[in-house]
Amino acid sequence: MTPALELRGIDKSFGPVQVLHDVAFSAYAGEVTALVGDNGAGKSTLVKCVGGIHPIDSGEYFFDGRPVRIGSPRDAAELGIEIVYQDLALCDNLDIVQNMFLGREHRRGIVLDEDTMEAMAAKTLESLSVRTVKSIRQLVASLSGGQRQTVAIAKAVLWNSKVVILDEPTAALGVAQTAQVLELVRRLADQGLAVVLISHNMNDVFAVSDRIATLYLGRMAAQVKTSDVTHAQVVELITSGRSGDLGLTNGATV
Amino acid sequence: MTATISPKRVSEAPSIRSNVRGYAERVRGGDMGALPAVFGLVVLCTIFAILRPSFLTAGNFANLFTQGAAVTVIAMGLVFVLLLGEIDLSAGFASGVCAAVLAILLSSQGLPWYVAVGAAILTGVVIGTGIGSIVAKLGIPSFVVTLAAFLAFQGLVLLLVKGGTIIAIRDETILAIANKNLPPALGWILLAVGVAGYAGLQLLRARKRAARELTADPVSLIAVRVGALALLGGLAVYFLNIERSRNAAVVSLAGVPLVVPIIVVLLLVLTFVLRRTAYGRHLYAVGGNVEAARRAGINVDRMKISAFVICSSMAAIGGVIAASRASSVDPNTGGSNVLLYAVGAAVIGGTSLFGGKGRVLDAILGGAVVAVIENGMGLMGYSSGVKFIVTGSVLLLAAVVDALSRKRAAATGLR
């Protein structure tokens, strides 16, 4: 199977500091790929490289098997790559529909086409089986953390995206809301999207992911099937970069 | 949120009752909107009407509109800047500069009125572009930039009118703006057209939404809104059409002042821009969360510059109205209290100083409050010292309401 998204040999430095060393990463359609690693391992940098916020120094970037060049967030969005950042980036003073279409409003002439947007937003939320918001015309300010996360995710999938990257979507949520968001993450993959889930929480990772990619000090320690590893092995990969015959040997990927 | 699964998108059919309930909920949650302004207006009018019966005469009612027009128009422009969480302290003297340009072109150059007005508005556009660019590109707080511009423009007006002389305006068209009235019949016709148009738009919209199975406003609610508009508009036109000349045989003085339709048109255009265009949506977004707006691909710098351009252009129009009312331009045009009244009008009307919240209509309601205070206290014979203090207190009160409602909204999770 061709990965929806594949990176090979990515290097990225900020001035004298090399943050990513020869990183390989792939995400497959219909699967949830968990991206894990300790603080400072390079997860965010990798995601920002994927999203076109940071240009990569060297390495190859494939989308659906085709080599592509991503120079800006716009390029990534055009391919169908959407990133949901941790700080959601929603406007409190706008309602759900307005937030979902922010910057990409439908219009007829110069007039906003509110009805089409509202209908599309309702359809998207319904397709994600979101049933917890009372009205899609309520202000985002009045939503709970889980609902906000839901809106942010729905915003990302509204555009026929192929790859959705979620940066710690459950970090600030309670137990019940976490379960809801994870359910939503699973549903996205079941609908055929390639989902990348960044998380610190091993329970979340094992609950929804099909594959786990572990970054260790800017290197890809291992990318494995979730069913092939144990909880303890992943923790070991995160903390020391290797576990048994998995992981790095002398700084190079096995 | 209750994390339990609630029934699928609870969409009760909207009715008058559910709308009233929704409004009451919003007010309790700290989203007061225009409520304080409307409340203040009613209280002030009642007090003045009791203390000074002359406050209620048709002549004074018409006076209120022409008195408050310039400040209100400037406030309408300020709403755009305030929406971004910025402020324009130079709007008052910007209107003075534009009025001076108008007066010079009319009197010493003898150009036709439309050229002069065009030049005045163009001056506003240039001023707005300059201030907006400095704020957006250099990142200097708008407070400081516009404070500097405030001083500079005060000087500029002085230079333009040659050290304190007064430039008289004799152009009939310009003078008509703040001094002439619509023929009484035309007032009724315009009102009828306006109400019918509003009703038609509302019904059309409701029908379109119903056809797409979206929640639409019920006809009863639309009827209430249209009825209220017709009633208020009808009363206003009726009172303004009463003969208010002391000697009607010599010169008749009746009808809706010309500034009223001008302000209504500006209100409609600006409200359309804010509510129905992507530009307006982006303006609210930048005021609500700059980072979110930037990530959504909105050019934040351009939004800022454009808001200042709109603000200064509206100030220019305000300046033209002020020049028309005074029949002249002097170094104090747009000076003294004009700016503070304008900011006060916007804030009293419910536009937040913190950005992201406000409507153009708010500025008009706030402008009405300011005009009523100014007018009523004048009738009571208070000195301008007392007027300043009262207006200042009202502005502070409005800012307090704004800050408190924000706090309350944060507490109830509505913001």
Side-chain angles (χ1 to χ4, degrees), chain B residues 148-212:
Chain B
F150 168 85
L151 270 179
F153 291 158
Q154 187 168 12
L156 192 55
V157 179
L158 264 177
L159 293 179
L160 283 173
V161 299
K162 306 259 163 31
T165 52
I166 291 172
I167 308 180
I169 289 175
R170 294 193 186 81
D171 186 277
E172 288 295 326
T173 317
I174 298 295
L175 286 179
I177 293 174
N179 300 302
K180 286 281 186 316
N181 306 303
L182 292 176
L186 189 57
W188 285 115
I189 292 171
L190 286 182
L191 177 70
V193 170
V195 172
Y198 178 70
L201 276 177
Q202 291 268 315
L203 285 172
L204 194 69
R205 182 154 171 265
R207 185 182 305 156
K208 259 192 182 154
R209 287 180 62 84
R212 301 188 66 162

Side-chain angles (χ1 to χ4, degrees), chain A residues 149-204:
Chain A
Q149 191 71 52
T150 306
V151 171
I153 294 173
K155 179 182 177 182
V157 300
L158 186 60
W159 307 99
N160 290 323
S161 347
K162 305 213 170 58
V163 178
V164 174
I165 302 173
L166 305 164
D167 190 0
E168 304 240 17
T170 58
L173 301 184
V175 177
Q177 299 187 357
T178 299
Q180 267 178 6
V181 169
L182 289 181
E183 214 176 289
L184 181 55
V185 168
R186 192 61 248 176
R187 223 156 22 226
L188 293 183
D190 293 344
Q191 285 186 4
L193 277 78
V195 182
V196 178
L197 173 74
I198 299 181
S199 184
H200 267 121
N201 187 321
M202 283 307 120
N203 291 328
D204 292 1

Side-chain angles (χ1 to χ4, degrees), chain B residues 54-264:
Chain B
S54 59
F55 178 80
L56 271 189
T57 57
N60 195 48
F61 187 51
N63 214 3
L64 267 175
F65 285 95
T66 42
Q67 228 173 12
V71 162
T72 302
V73 169
I74 297 173
M76 288 161 83
L78 270 169
V79 167
F80 282 75
V81 171
L82 291 173
L83 269 181
L84 297 183
E86 307 278 349
I87 195 156
D88 185 355
L89 297 176
S90 70
F93 273 115
S95 81
V97 170
C98 297
V101 168
L102 173 94
I104 290 169
L105 292 184
L106 280 180
S107 60
S108 39
Q109 307 293 321
L111 291 170
W113 67 271
Y114 44 88
V115 177
V117 171
I121 294 177
L122 187 68
T123 310
V125 170
V126 171
I127 289 173
T129 312
I131 293 175
S133 305
I134 294 172
V135 170
K137 301 291 182 194
L138 298 183
I140 307 173
S142 56
F143 171 77
V144 177
V145 176
T146 58
L147 191 60
F150 168 85
L151 270 179
F153 291 158
Q154 187 168 12
L156 192 55
V157 179
L158 264 177
L159 293 179
L160 283 173
V161 299
K162 306 259 163 31
T165 52
I166 291 172
I167 308 180
I169 289 175
R170 294 193 186 81
D171 186 277
E172 288 295 326
T173 317
I174 298 295
L175 286 179
I177 293 174
N179 300 302
K180 286 281 186 316
N181 306 303
L182 292 176
L186 189 57
W188 285 115
I189 292 171
L190 286 182
L191 177 70
V193 170
V195 172
Y198 178 70
L201 276 177
Q202 291 268 315
L203 285 172
L204 194 69
R205 182 154 171 265
R207 185 182 305 156
K208 259 192 182 154
R209 287 180 62 84
R212 301 188 66 162
E213 291 175 355
L214 298 165
T215 49
D217 290 336
V219 177
S220 54
L221 182 68
I222 294 173
V224 169
R225 284 196 199 128
V226 173
L229 179 70
L231 182 69
L232 288 176
L235 281 175
V237 173
Y238 172 75
F239 277 113
L240 291 170
N241 278 351
I242 293 174
E243 181 61 54
R244 44 183 189 270
S245 168
R246 295 229 171 95
N247 194 344
V250 180
V251 55
S252 171
L253 200 58
V256 178
L258 261 180
V259 288
V260 174
I262 292 176
I263 288 183
V264 170

